[in-house]
């Protein structure tokens, strides 16, 4: 009995410190493992961005100051590429078409998705069906969508002119006319890309508290007044961000003029990005293509900085 009584405190004292310190040590090791795993995933993403985004961008800036042809050593030429591109007759036409396309896309592609989102938000039945219908064009590959619209715009047997003939209305050259080609491409781009914008607007509309609309109705506000005084202020941040993203996207339009019109007729649909493609893959002038890319990058970067500054100032004043 004496030996047992003497051993018991010794055994308890030896085991007790290990049991008290083990959970804390395990938590520390788990935390360290979780942090290492998180940094490993982050490192993979950073490597992908560095390899496929940052390095090509930096490389393009370097090539913009070189005479570069694949297979031959580069030669530094300073700002000669920028000067040559600046004096290219297509340069003015490309920027004019790009800015016009952006303006028309804002007038059509910015208002129509917002109105569609308002209509979908008011529906009581078939909501899921109409959301799928609106989003369906986004799921079609851009080249396939452009080819379908190219057939639709065909001045001979295209569906657009066939419909006009059936209705005994005058036909149009659509994408083959110098006056209508750019607007035709704006319609294609708006139809193909508005599905995602509509869903974003719809999500923003559904996050607005219903009490605000009820209070507006009690004050006698009609539909347009509710949209103006409740809907627009509550979705202001989403509207401003989507406007910025749309301007950046439309300034880089390429698929529609490349597939449907090939930059024609008479350079009526040549855009900046399409001109970059021509310099690189038709003229084999990668220095000029990169110089034009740097110009576009600087313009979009400056516009984004000014736009974000103005919107931030407006929010602070409000």
């Amino acid at each position: 009995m004496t030996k047992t009584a003497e051993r018991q405190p010794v055994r308890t004292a030896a085991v007790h410190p290990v049991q008290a310190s083990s959970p804390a040590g395990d938590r520390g090791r788990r935390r360290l493992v979780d942090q290492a795993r998180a940094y490993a995933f982050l490192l993979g993403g950073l490597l992908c961005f560095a390899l496929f985004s940052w390095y090509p961008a930096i490389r393009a800036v370097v090539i913009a100051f070189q005479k570069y042809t694949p297979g031959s050593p580069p030669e530094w030429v300073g700002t000669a590429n920028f000067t040559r591109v600046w004096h290219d007759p297509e340069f003015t036409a490309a920027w004019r078409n790009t800015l016009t396309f952006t303006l028309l896309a804002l007038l059509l592609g910015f208002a129509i998705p917002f109105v569609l989102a308002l209509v979908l938000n008011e529906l009581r039945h078939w909501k899921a069906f109409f959301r799928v219908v609106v989003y369906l064009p986004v799921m079609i590959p851009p080249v396939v969508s452009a080819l379908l619209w190219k057939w639709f715009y065909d001045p001979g047997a295209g569906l657009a002119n066939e419909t006009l003939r059936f209705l005994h209305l005058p036909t149009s050259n659509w994408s083959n006319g110098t006056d209508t080609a750019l607007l035709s491409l704006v319609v294609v781009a708006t139809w193909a890309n508005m599905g995602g914008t509509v869903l974003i607007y719809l999500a923003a509309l559904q996050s607005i508290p219903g009490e605000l609309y009820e209070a507006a109705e009690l004050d006698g506000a009609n539909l347009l007044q509710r949209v103006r005084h409740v809907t627009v202020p509550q979705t202001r941040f989403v509207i401003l961000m989507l406007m910025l993203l749309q301007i950046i996207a439309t300034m880089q339009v390429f698929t529609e003029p490349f597939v449907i019109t090939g930059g024609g007729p008479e350079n009526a649909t040549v855009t900046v990005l399409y001109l970059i493609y021509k310099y690189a893959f038709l003229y084999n002038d990668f220095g000029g293509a990169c110089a034009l890319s740097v110009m576009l990058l600087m313009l979009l970067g400056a516009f984004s900085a000014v736009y974000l500054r103005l919107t931030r100032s407006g929010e602070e004043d409000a």
Side-chain angles (χ1 to χ4, degrees):
M1 294 295 293
T2 305
K3 292 182 179 180
T4 304
E6 292 176 353
R7 291 195 195 112
Q8 186 66 28
V10 174
R11 185 165 51 246
T12 304
V15 174
H16 181 71
V18 175
Q19 292 178 345
S21 61
S22 178
D26 291 341
R27 285 196 299 270
R29 284 192 293 271
R30 284 197 300 269
R31 187 180 299 110
L32 183 61
V33 171
D34 291 341
Q35 290 179 352
R37 187 182 295 112
Y39 281 115
F41 281 111
L42 179 61
L43 180 62
L46 290 176
L47 289 176
C48 288
F49 274 107
L51 183 61
F52 298 107
S53 296
W54 301 333
Y55 172 75
I58 296 173
R59 182 65 176 150
V61 174
V62 174
I63 295 177
F65 297 93
Q66 294 177 336
K67 181 181 179 181
Y68 178 80
T69 303
S72 61
E75 176 185 349
W76 286 95
V77 294
T79 60
N81 290 327
F82 293 90
T83 303
R84 187 177 67 259
V85 169
W86 182 273
H87 291 93
D88 186 351
E90 287 185 302
F91 178 84
T92 304
W95 281 103
R96 182 181 63 251
N97 295 335
T98 300
L99 295 175
T100 304
F101 185 95
T102 301
L103 178 61
L104 293 175
L106 281 178
L107 295 176
L108 294 178
F110 192 72
I112 293 177
F114 188 73
V115 174
L116 284 177
L118 290 174
V119 173
L120 291 177
N121 192 47
E122 295 296 327
L123 292 178
R124 295 293 179 264
H125 304 286
W126 298 85
K127 280 188 175 183
F129 172 76
F130 285 109
R131 289 177 188 176
V132 172
V133 170
V134 170
Y135 193 74
L136 185 61
V138 181
M139 296 185 285
I140 301 176
V143 175
V144 175
S145 175
L147 289 174
L148 289 173
W149 278 92
K150 185 177 182 179
W151 166 78
F152 180 83
Y153 282 143
D154 187 276
L159 182 60
N161 278 345
E162 286 294 333
T163 303
L164 293 176
R165 293 189 188 98
F166 178 78
L167 298 174
H168 302 287
L169 296 175
T171 59
S172 173
N173 286 326
W174 302 109
S175 59
N176 290 338
T178 55
D179 297 331
T180 57
L182 199 61
L183 181 59
S184 300
L185 298 188
V186 171
V187 173
V188 176
T190 301
W191 176 84
N193 300 309
M194 71 177 180
T197 306
V198 170
L199 292 186
I200 294 174
Y201 279 138
L202 189 59
L205 292 174
Q206 292 179 348
S207 66
I208 301 176
E211 294 81 1
L212 297 178
Y213 290 107
E214 294 176 0
E217 290 179 0
L218 291 177
D219 291 338
N222 56 32
L223 177 60
L224 293 179
Q225 290 173 334
R226 291 197 299 270
V227 171
R228 178 183 175 185
H229 297 289
V230 178
T231 305
V232 173
Q234 291 295 317
T235 58
R236 181 170 177 269
F237 176 77
V238 175
I239 291 174
L240 292 176
M241 288 306 301
L242 287 178
M243 180 180 290
L244 174 62
L245 295 177
Q246 182 169 345
I247 291 174
I248 293 175
T250 52
M251 287 286 289
Q252 301 178 69
V253 59
F254 172 75
T255 304
E256 289 80 10
F258 177 75
V259 176
I260 299 177
T261 62
E266 299 178 8
N267 290 335
T269 57
V270 171
T271 60
V272 174
L273 217 62
Y274 186 75
L275 186 58
I276 292 173
Y277 162 80
K278 292 179 69 175
Y279 267 98
F281 300 105
L282 298 182
Y283 308 153
N284 204 28
D285 183 2
F286 286 86
C290 290
L292 193 54
S293 301
V294 171
M295 291 181 184
L296 181 61
L297 174 64
M298 293 176 62
L299 176 65
L300 291 179
F303 167 78
S304 301
V306 173
Y307 182 86
L308 293 175
R309 177 65 179 175
L310 292 177
T311 54
R312 189 180 297 113
S313 300
E315 292 176 357
E316 292 175 355
D317 294 339

